[in-house]
Amino acid sequence: MSNQNSALTPSFLKCSQCGLVKLCLPLGLTSQDMCQLENIIESSSPYNDNQAVFHADQNFEHIYAVKSGMFKTVVIDANGNEHILGFHLPGELFGLDAIYPKKYVSTAISLGTSTVCGINYTDLESLSAKLPSLQRQLFSLMSKEVNTSQAMNVEHSADQKLAGFILALSSRYKERGYSETRINLMMPRRDIANHLNMAAETVSRLFKRFQKEGLLDIKRTDLQIMDMEALKRLAGCASSSC
């Protein structure tokens, strides 16, 4: 898609009717304030698998909240190699890193059929100045994004990285009311490996080892955590912090 706005239309589903309201921007807003936010939100038509919402270096206009499905954000280095910055689940925002440079620094791509809510940032900035609760939630989501990015820069062994990645997905799915032990891996193994800066063969080997050791049971995209505590120990975190 060459224009990030072409798939956006006024939203007919109110934020108050959305099951993601406790995870997204409307958290903490009164009914009256939520109505004002709804006026600046646009829903997208479905994005097909591997379709871009926006491309790196495009002028920044919107931030996006995942409504359904999943998106990945990627950058291309000087040698033409793709690096996956993150995977974004329903209720999560992406495009926030474009606020300062005024251009998107990554390309956002749909994994499977997915939809988003687009929010014009200039309108959001103006509304946030009037609604302290919206401003606090926006800052909170930005801080969470920074924290996640910093955690990725910590040096870990390959098995710690993969275990931590699975636990993070488990936690995020649990926040959305899904099972924390049964995960749908929508992203291909090569994308997981790319995101974790590992070889695809290493990820496949580790999945087989984790299964052999009784940590996981995995069949294609269906992953079930069999021993949560052992997986947490492998990731190097206490039960209360993962």
Side-chain angles (χ1 to χ4, degrees):
M1 174 166 294
S2 59
N3 187 327
Q4 74 262 26
N5 300 325
S6 61
L8 292 176
T9 58
S11 178
F12 296 103
L13 177 65
K14 295 183 178 180
C15 293
S16 56
Q17 299 171 329
C18 179
L20 302 169
V21 66
K22 293 183 179 180
L23 297 169
C24 202
L25 269 176
L27 179 65
L29 297 185
T30 65
S31 298
Q32 184 177 0
D33 292 346
M34 200 175 295
C35 287
Q36 295 185 67
L37 177 61
E38 289 167 351
N39 289 332
I40 65 171
I41 292 180
E42 302 167 289
S43 293
S44 73
S45 302
Y47 287 92
N48 297 320
D49 184 43
N50 206 39
Q51 187 176 4
V53 181
F54 56 75
H55 295 273
D57 292 327
Q58 273 187 244
N59 289 333
F60 168 62
E61 293 182 11
H62 291 75
I63 61 173
Y64 295 88
V66 182
K67 189 174 181 180
S68 66
M70 181 183 291
F71 292 83
K72 64 179 179 180
T73 43
V74 305
V75 294
I76 308 297
D77 66 21
N79 296 318
N81 299 312
E82 179 183 279
H83 300 276
I84 298 175
L85 301 179
F87 301 101
H88 309 278
L89 301 180
E92 295 178 344
L93 271 62
F94 59 89
L96 294 170
D97 52 0
I99 293 172
Y100 172 71
K102 305 298 183 184
K103 289 182 179 291
Y104 294 105
V105 298
S106 61
T107 299
I109 301 171
S110 175
L111 291 171
T113 302
S114 307
T115 59
V116 295
C117 292
I119 308 108
N120 181 282
Y121 185 71
T122 300
D123 292 340
L124 179 62
E125 196 173 32
S126 298
L127 186 58
S128 296
K130 301 174 187 176
L131 305 178
S133 54
L134 177 60
Q135 188 177 70
R136 284 194 297 270
Q137 175 64 353
L138 182 59
F139 287 160
S140 177
L141 292 171
M142 288 178 176
S143 178
K144 186 176 182 180
E145 187 84 5
V146 171
N147 185 65
T148 300
S149 177
Q150 289 177 338
M152 284 295 299
N153 292 327
V154 178
E155 287 294 327
H156 290 298
S157 63
D159 51 358
Q160 282 181 313
K161 283 183 180 180
L162 185 57
F165 175 77
I166 295 167
L167 288 170
L169 274 181
S170 167
S171 176
R172 289 158 71 191
Y173 274 108
K174 183 181 179 181
E175 284 182 324
R176 284 150 184 79
Y178 300 116
S179 169
E180 66 176 324
T181 58
R182 193 146 196 177
I183 299 169
N184 178 21
L185 287 177
M186 295 178 65
M187 67 289 286
R189 305 287 192 275
R190 66 178 181 276
D191 280 2
I192 296 174
N194 183 300
H195 177 56
L196 299 177
N197 196 26
M198 294 159 56
E201 295 78 8
T202 302
V203 168
S204 295
R205 175 174 52 80
L206 287 174
F207 269 131
K208 289 177 182 177
R209 198 190 91 195
F210 288 0
Q211 183 159 293
K212 185 177 180 180
E213 293 176 352
L215 302 179
L216 310 172
D217 183 43
I218 184 166
K219 296 180 178 67
R220 296 183 180 272
T221 62
D222 183 24
L223 182 150
Q224 187 165 4
I225 299 174
M226 307 301 292
D227 192 336
M228 182 72 77
E229 294 308 312
L231 195 63
K232 288 179 177 181
R233 288 194 296 272
L234 181 60
C237 59
S239 299
S240 59
S241 63
C242 285

